[in-house]
Amino acid sequence: MNILIAGNGGREHALATGIINSESFRSSNSRLYCTSGSAGLDLISKPVNIKPSDIQGITSFAESEKIDFVVVGPELPLSLGLADVLRDAGIKVFGPGKLAAEIESSKIFAKELMNDAGIPTAKFRSFNSEKFKEAFEYINEIKFPSVIKADGLAAGKGVIIVNSKSEAENAINSFTKEKIFGEAGAGFVIESYLQGYEVSLFAVTDGENYLLLPPSQDHKRIGEGDTGKNTGGMGAYAPLLTEQIDGELTKKIENKIIKPVLREMKNRDRKYTGCLYCGLMIAEENGGKEPYVIEFNCRFGDPETQAVLPLIKSDFLDLLLASVENRIEKYKLEFYDKYSCCVILSSGGYPDGYETGKTITGLDNVSDDCFVFHSGTKFNEDKQVITTGGRVLGVTALSEISHKDAIGKCYENVKLINFENCYFRRDIGYRVLK
Ligand code: AMP
Ligand code: GLY
């Protein structure tokens, strides 16, 4: 089987690693290609010099190279309709079509869908570009803090938490007049601020049935203790403790969120297949825990994927194919009884300006049972690995003993890697260490 991964970050390196370690891949005459690339991906797949969002380029390549299966990593190509174009060309694709991907690419669509299906989420009002003036009236009625979110894709940055009416006015002006998020912010949602703790949960689905992967927790802020600016994610651990998510809460999430959303999408002729990322806030209410949806994403999360996929024991390639071939109900999903922790190494200055082109040393010193996923690297002319992005590497360690042990192992290995101005958070997983 010829497989192509569209995307080139840490998530895609974790997906590629899961695929090449699958028994079904190793025992067959399969080949893996990836839209270029990173130094890590180039070592395990054949690089293809096409951008992940170049729909025509990817489709032509897939047709000419006889690609059987395309796995789409990021949201942008999905929101542009890559999966539909490939399916029309007779190629199997992991990931939803354009209409289904709107669950991530339009917050207004997602919020209204949740409202209609009775899915718990923060109370909200949506405003399109014509009706944005009504937002200035609405902010007289709301409590603070409140949250203002750009309708469209904004690389995880389209969310502003406002603490007063004047901050809300500034935020609305920055969306509508200054257009800080371009067209993505022409429409927006104002929603109430949810209290609680966040959980990331992936449901792999064929549109009818789904399988849950171990729940995880991201660390979105740049600074220790969850301070400073939002980033793409600075680290993650999995699975969560039963105090954080137990069987009863999981059932609530399935019954109140996952089943209704898949049903509603199907009813609207937007059958959802692929990975549904549920970004949840867990609130303590009347002595129990209640899940609320912060957001849905139409793909695997990053960096959570780098912590979650190494816990999967069963054949990962076959799981992806089961989603495409309507076989999720029969797929037997098994996990290792292990704990995992992923720490992201970033370029100093990220998420603002940073320098690239720094030589990375120590990659060969990392212990064999650790994974190093590449987010922003490449080989230079001297075959040295250099930095190319804000997030550079994700180091994932596993332990059979405890979270504490996985976290400790992870930092032992992080210390072995170096590049100029390398920055990482030293407190990934602090909530499970308390
Ligand atoms: P989103 O892009 O919607 O996931 O939002 C980014 C981050 O903003 C989330 O991971 C939360 O930490 C925070 N956030 C978003 N919406 C809310 C909300 N309604 N209440 C509290 N925090 C939120
Ligand atoms: N880790 C957050 C995301 O993938 O959207």
Side-chain angles (χ1 to χ4, degrees), residues 142-179:
I142 58 175
K143 289 203 193 108
F144 293 97
S146 243
V147 186
I148 309 193
K149 296 184 173 182
D151 178 45
L153 295 180
K157 300 191 181 94
V159 172
I160 302 183
I161 295 172
V162 289
N163 290 302
S164 63
K165 196 178 146 198
S166 69
E167 280 184 29
E169 280 167 352
N170 288 342
I172 297 168
N173 280 328
S174 72
F175 278 42
T176 55
K177 290 205 185 115
E178 294 153 34
K179 295 204 185 297

Side-chain angles (χ1 to χ4, degrees), residues 11 218 220 232-233 277 295 297 299-304:
R11 164 184 47 215
D218 188 6
K220 289 205 169 82
Y277 169 124
E295 63 166 349
N297 291 325
R299 43 144 182 104
F300 285 101
D302 201 6
E304 294 95 318

Side-chain angles (χ1 to χ4, degrees), residues 53-73:
S53 52
D54 176 357
I55 311 282
Q56 210 38 59
I58 290 181
T59 311
S60 305
F61 174 82
E63 285 179 322
S64 66
E65 294 301 312
K66 307 222 169 338
I67 298 293
D68 305 285
F69 185 35
V70 178
V71 179
V72 188

